[in-house]
Amino acid sequence: MRLVQYITIDGGRRVGRVSDDDGNRLYLLDKTSTVLELAEAAIAQGASIAALVEKRTAAATIDYGELLRDGRVLAPVDHPEPARFLVTGTGLTHTGSAAARDKMHVLTHGEDAEESDSLKIFRMGLDGGKPGAGKIGIQPEWFFKGVGTCVVPPGADLPMPAFAKAGAEEAEIVGLYLNGPDGRPYRIGYALGNEYSDHVTEAENYLYLAHSKLRSCSIGPELLIGDLPEEVRGHSRILRDGTVIWEQEFLSGEAHMSHSIANLEHFHFRYPMHRRAGDLHAYFFGAAVMSYASGVKTASGDEYEIQAQTFGKPLRNRMVSVPDEGLVAVTQL
C-alpha cells in the first residue's frame, strides 16, 4: 500500500492510494486532505493507517502521471508548522557510504593515514548494530539536516547555495514518524529520499560534516505503508541535458545495513526533545552509493533520479544554483 499527497486544481489538498495494477492512477481517500490527519486519526482510534485507508478508499480516481507532470505532488507528509517537522539522519550504515567517507579521509590525510573514524564507527555497527528484538545495540552516527522548510517536493528544484563547494545526491530510505499526544513515537511509513549534501565541504574536515548536511532535501513521491522489505533494490542516476552521466544500482533494507531500523529509531527517540507531542520526524537511514565517491562533479542543471520498485514512481529533482546573499549581518536590538 502506497499513498501520495497532492494539490488539487482549486488549491486544496488530497491524499490518494496508488493503484495496484500499473501504479498510474490514484484512488481518492474520503475525508482525507493530508497524511498527517490520517496518522493522527489512526493514533486516536488505536488503528493502523492501512486499516483506515481501506475504509476510506473511494471508487473515484485521478491520473497520477498528470499530477507529477503538473508539479502538484507534495512530499509524502508535512506539517502546517514546518518548525515542528524535524529532518535528521544517520550515515555509515551501508558499505558504500563507509567506503566513500574513507576516501575523503585518504584524500585529506594520505594513503598512510591511520584507519579513519568513519571506518571505525562502521565496524562498530557491524559488531553491535543489530542487537536483536528488545535489546539496545551500539550507538550510530547521527546528524541534523533541518526542519520542514528544507524539504522540497518531488520534481522541485534543489537549491545549491552560492557558498556551497558542491552539491550531490544521496539515495536513501527515509522513515517518517509522528509523536502521539503522550509523546510516544509512531512510524507512519517509509519513502525514498535524496539527502543531497555538500561532500566537498565535508571532505575538508570531519568537523564540517554538520555544515555539509544543512542543505535542502527531497522525499517521495510515495509513502510506503507497512513493513519495509529486508532488501530494497534501486538505481540512482544523474542526467545532464537529458543524458545519463552516472548511474549505479543500490541495495538497501536491513539485509544490507549494519544497523537494524529499530536500533536507529531507539537512539533517535531516546531524547525527550525528539518526543514532543505532535511533532513530525523524517529520518534518513543512510546511503549505499553516491556519485561523489565515483569522482563525478555535479553542475547546476543536473537532474537526480532515484528509483526503487518497492516505492513506485521515481524521485526526481534538478539542482539549481541560487544567488549569493553575501554577508548575513545581525542587528543589535
Side-chain angles (χ1 to χ4, degrees), residues 121-137:
I121 202 167
F122 176 69
R123 295 187 201 284
M124 289 164 63
L126 289 176
D127 292 339
K130 295 181 177 179
K135 297 182 180 179
I136 298 173

Side-chain angles (χ1 to χ4, degrees), residues 155-167:
D157 291 342
L158 282 168
M160 184 172 73
F163 57 76
K165 301 292 178 65

